[in-house]
Structures are given as C-alpha cells and as structure tokens.
Amino acid sequence: NSILCVLQVAVYMAKRDFVDHCDFVDPVDGVILIDPVQLKGRKVYVMLSCTFRYGRQDMDVMGVAFRRDLFVVTRQVYPELQDKEKLTHNKIQQKLLRKLGDNAFPFFFEFPDNLPCSVALQPGPSDVGKKCAVEFEVKAFCGEIQDDKVDKQSSVRLNIRKIQFSPESSKVVPTAETTFEFLMSEKPLHVKLSLPKETFYHGEPLKANVEITNSSSRNIKDISVSVEQVTNVVLYSNDKYVKSVAKEETSDSVPSGTSLKKEYTLYPLLAHNKDRRGLALDGRLKHEDTNLASSSIVKQEVLKEVQGMLVSYKVVVRMIASGEPEDMVFEDFKRAYLKGIVYGDDDESPTEA
C-alpha cells in the first residue's frame, strides 16, 4: 500500500499501477485521512492529472521546459458532497474507512478512453533533472476554493502509472516478403520474414523466421536480424527516434543458387539497454525498475497529438549482396491490419513488445 502524509492530509492507495485493458482502464481509488481541526475551515480536494513534459536540455525553449496537461480532474473530498457509500467501490477502501474512522473519506476516478499510457525517454548520464515523459499524478490539497494556489506544505503528491496490457486474441501470423532483381542477373532473390504471433510480452523472446531463396547470380552474406523501437514525440516537436533494442549479427550466407531457412531468436529487454539514451520506457516510479515501453494502442478516433509520444516496434532483416556497393535492407514489416494499432507516418507496422 502507498501512503503520503503532511500536516493536514494523508492519502492511502492500494496500488500505483493501473492497467489499460484496451476496452477499459482500472479506476483510481483510495482514501484520504484528514484532521478537521488543523484544516481550520479549509476544504480538501483530490486531483488526478496526466501531464506531458518535454524537458531535455538540448530541446528546451529559451531554457524553459515544455509542459502540457493532457487531462486534469479535481474533486472535493471534504466537506463531503456525496455519501461515502457512493464513492466506496472496493473492499480495500471499506477496510481503510473502518480502520481510519470518521475522518477518512474515499475518492474515486475513472480514466477517459483517450489518454496515453505512462512512458518516458531514458535519460543519458548528463540529463540530470531533465525528462521527456507522459506522467500521471494523484494530488490532495487544502484550500478555500478549488482554484487556490496550492501551498506545497498543504498538499501531497503521489505518482502513479497507467500501463498497457494487450490480450493475445489475434490468430494472424505476421508475414512479410519481397523480391529483388539485380542487373545482369536473370533470376531474382526472394526473402520472406515471419513471426509466430503478433503480440509479445515483456521478457518474452521473439523468434523470427527467415527464408531466403537466392536464384540470382549474387552471393548473399552477413545476415542480421534486429528489433527496433520507433518513438514519435508527436505533441511538441514530432521528433522521431529509432533505436535497436535487440540484434543478432551473423556470418550466415546464401550463395547463388541456394536457399536458407532459419529461425533467429531475439531478446528485446531493457536489461540489455540500460545506458541507451532516448529509449522509450514504461513510466518509471522513482528508482524502481521498469520495462521497454509497450506499443501504443490508440482508438482510431483519438488524435495522435493527445498521446504525447507514440511507440511501435518493427523487425528488420539486413544482408549484403556481394558485388553490391551498399547493404540491402529488408524492413517495414508488413502484416494484416490490427484494429487499434497506430502506425507511424511512414506506415511502419509495429510488432508489440
């Protein structure tokens, strides 16, 4: 359980992670304990907010960090405007109210369906105090009226996270294939890439199946497969970051007139990318550990700009054709359209992580 205290107010919450199940989001609920004598006639409010911060040092505007509230709702808790029973929605609240007594009051919020999940860009060693993040906060404060300037000594803040869960419901097998034709070669090179499923969860290895039929006169060598995270900061600057989060480089080759069929296993884990500046992470609470950010799943009618940052993943196969001046790159992983997934402006199709 989480608790924060100041002189006049204490806030109790059973958890700090709230799951977005795509069709509904866990409600935010808790209990506030007050001391009416110390309040001296002031009212008590509780606020739920979602804020986008863009405070990286090299992106500040005139040295001032950018901030925008994506969602703010404030409710008066004391004096109570509703019966306690109407704001008590679970057994933990009931137990807290019985334990804390008559000066304890419940609160309850529901998330609207157009908000992003908690996400933050991993800072670099020199980014102390700077951040680029979508953050959620519960704040309780005292005041004469709701719009009073909040004194830090009369308020208490608790960071929470809204995290994405995507049920594995689709049975579509993601597949991409392409054909390359070379000058001075009568027959083409055919490459096929497939995954066993669309949804991968944190910590789960990703298996990529690569099939190459080389009927061309070129020799193929140095095959590599990677998972790349694509982050679009859409609200403020439309910056785009593409970072490899797992990669397998091989000396595998496919000589002219031969074929290759091989499964490559990749491990897209934050543990392997701890020092990578600019990687998108699920929102961090203080110094607790977290994961690579989940793919952004947004309803079609919701504006991208409201999301702050959009995260997607793609699988990339690269190889070298002997005699060619540059690497041939096979990417932009195409798959059947999955309702609710937002693709990037260049129609990148993410595999979820």
Side-chain angles (χ1 to χ4, degrees):
N1 290 4
S2 299
I3 175 174
L4 286 180
C5 300
V6 291
L7 183 61
Q8 295 91 352
V9 181
V11 177
Y12 295 79
M13 297 180 67
K15 60 183 180 180
R16 297 177 72 175
D17 284 347
F18 298 86
V19 179
D20 186 338
H21 300 270
C22 297
D23 53 348
F24 75 97
V25 184
D26 292 346
V28 176
D29 52 61
V31 171
I32 289 183
L33 178 64
I34 67 166
D35 184 341
V37 176
Q38 291 182 338
L39 286 174
K40 299 177 181 179
R42 289 181 296 176
K43 297 175 182 178
V44 178
Y45 303 91
V46 62
M47 174 191 292
L48 173 65
S49 63
C50 173
T51 303
F52 174 73
R53 302 178 189 273
Y54 198 74
R56 288 228 335 261
Q57 189 168 2
D58 56 340
M59 293 295 180
D60 280 359
V61 180
M62 301 298 290
V64 179
F66 178 86
R67 170 194 168 121
R68 179 178 295 179
D69 289 327
L70 302 179
F71 172 76
V72 178
V73 61
T74 304
R75 301 237 168 92
Q76 180 177 320
V77 178
Y78 176 83
E80 54 192 314
L81 301 178
Q82 290 180 300
D83 293 338
K84 289 185 179 182
E85 290 75 17
K86 292 183 179 179
L87 293 173
T88 304
H89 292 265
N90 57 54
K91 292 182 179 180
I92 293 178
Q93 280 181 305
Q94 293 172 359
K95 290 180 180 179
L96 284 170
L97 291 173
R98 286 197 299 266
K99 180 179 180 180
L100 298 173
D102 292 340
N103 291 331
F105 299 88
F107 63 87
F108 179 82
F109 294 99
E110 289 185 297
F111 284 107
D113 61 2
N114 63 341
L115 291 182
C117 288
S118 300
V119 61
L121 295 189
Q122 182 164 255
S126 62
D127 294 333
V128 178
K130 301 292 181 179
K131 64 174 63 178
C132 180
V134 172
E135 299 176 321
F136 289 82
E137 180 184 77
V138 172
K139 178 170 71 174
F141 61 94
C142 312
E144 301 291 342
I145 60 174
Q146 179 175 313
D147 296 327
D148 269 357
K149 185 176 181 181
V150 179
D151 181 358
K152 287 186 178 180
Q153 297 301 316
S154 300
S155 67
V156 59
R157 300 167 182 263
L158 189 64
N159 288 326
I160 63 173
R161 288 192 298 193
K162 178 172 174 281
I163 57 178
Q164 184 70 61
F165 175 77
S166 179
E168 190 173 0
S169 56
S170 175
K171 296 182 180 180
V172 175
V173 177
T175 302
E177 50 188 317
T178 189
T179 298
F180 283 85
E181 295 185 358
F182 301 103
L183 292 174
M184 310 300 290
S185 180
E186 294 182 2
K187 295 182 178 180
L189 168 73
H190 185 77
V191 180
K192 181 179 180 180
L193 169 65
S194 62
L195 302 179
K197 57 181 182 176
E198 287 186 306
T199 304
F200 295 87
Y201 296 103
H202 298 304
E204 185 178 4
L206 185 149
K207 297 182 182 296
N209 295 289
V210 177
E211 298 180 41
I212 300 174
T213 302
N214 186 9
S215 301
S216 74
S217 58
R218 308 284 186 181
N219 294 321
I220 301 301
K221 62 178 184 178
D222 298 341
I223 298 169
S224 70
V225 184
S226 63
V227 177
E228 297 187 355
Q229 182 192 76
V230 182
T231 304
N232 284 282
V233 184
V234 293
L235 190 146
Y236 174 53
S237 63
N238 216 26
D239 285 349
K240 182 177 179 179
Y241 303 88
V242 181
K243 306 278 186 178
S244 173
V245 293
K247 188 173 185 178
E248 184 172 352
E249 296 181 296
T250 76
S251 58
D252 292 348
S253 62
V254 190
S256 174
T258 67
S259 298
L260 172 74
K261 184 175 182 179
K262 185 173 179 179
E263 180 181 82
Y264 297 88
T265 302
L266 301 162
Y267 299 90
L269 300 172
L270 177 57
H272 301 160
N273 297 276
K274 284 282 190 180
D275 300 321
R276 299 284 306 285
R277 183 185 193 224
L279 273 187
L281 313 178
D282 278 344
R284 187 189 300 268
L285 292 177
K286 294 187 177 180
H287 301 295
E288 298 173 17
D289 218 349
T290 183
N291 301 293
L292 295 171
S294 300
S295 297
S296 300
I297 301 180
V298 185
K299 293 186 177 181
Q300 290 176 312
E301 63 271 18
V302 174
L303 293 174
K304 288 183 180 181
E305 289 71 21
V306 180
Q307 302 302 301
M309 285 185 276
L310 294 175
V311 179
S312 61
Y313 293 85
K314 61 181 179 180
V315 177
V316 180
V317 180
R318 292 183 173 89
M319 60 194 68
I320 296 175
S322 62
E324 293 295 300
E326 299 179 357
D327 291 8
M328 297 188 310
V329 182
F330 307 109
E331 50 181 83
D332 288 341
F333 195 87
K334 301 297 180 187
R335 66 174 182 177
Y337 180 72
L338 178 62
K339 184 178 180 181
I341 298 293
V342 173
Y343 295 160
D345 294 335
D346 51 356
D347 195 32
E348 290 153 342
S349 304
T351 59
E352 297 172 34

